[in-house]
Structure formats: C-alpha cells, structure tokens
Amino acid sequence: MIFSLISLVIRTYVRYNVGMSSSGIELLQQAIAAFGSEPKLGRDDLLSFVRLARQVDAVFAAVVGGFDRSGEWAVDGRKSMVGWLESQTAMT
C-alpha cells in the first residue's frame, strides 16, 4: 500500500514538475513522511523498501562525489570533503 502511494507521488511529481528546477529532496521528504512515525510493512513491502534504500544510497554516493569534485566544501574552511561532512552531520 505505501509503495503504491510513493509511486503515485512520484508520477504526480514528474507529471507536474518536468522541466522545473528541483533537487528531488522535497519528493523524498514527502515519501518518507508518508510512512508516519511507526511504519509497518509486510514481507514484500519490506523487500521493496530494502531495494529502494539501496537506490537512495547509490544516489547519495553520486551526490557526495559531485559535491566533492565541486570543492564547495572548502568554503567552510575544511581541508577535505570528509572533514566537511563530519563537521556538518553525525557521519564519521
């Protein structure tokens, strides 16, 4: 059920926002919010969720790589992308 909702949100977003500037962050926020505070998934939905999480991880890695290549992290005085990311997040 929840993945049907996410699919609908994505299709609706694409239909009405093609050609408009957007990072996709808002779409991800909406999809995550649709789960509520205590998500319950069945077997098939859980497996689908794992596949989606892997896809998000792959996109995250590509985004981090692009940000690293841009050198934008140095604006904050950091000496490396890793140092910047550690200073801005709980990631270590």
Side-chain angles (χ1 to χ4, degrees), residues 41-86:
L41 300 176
R43 178 182 176 270
D44 292 339
D45 281 345
L46 180 58
L47 294 174
S48 293
F49 190 89
V50 169
R51 287 189 289 276
L52 287 169
R54 297 292 179 257
Q55 291 173 345
V56 169
D57 288 344
V59 171
F60 175 74
V63 168
V64 168
F67 189 77
D68 186 20
R69 287 187 296 281
S70 78
E72 190 176 340
W73 47 266
V75 172
D76 291 330
R78 295 294 169 180
K79 296 182 189 216
S80 71
M81 170 64 188
V82 172
W84 179 85
L85 199 56
E86 287 175 345

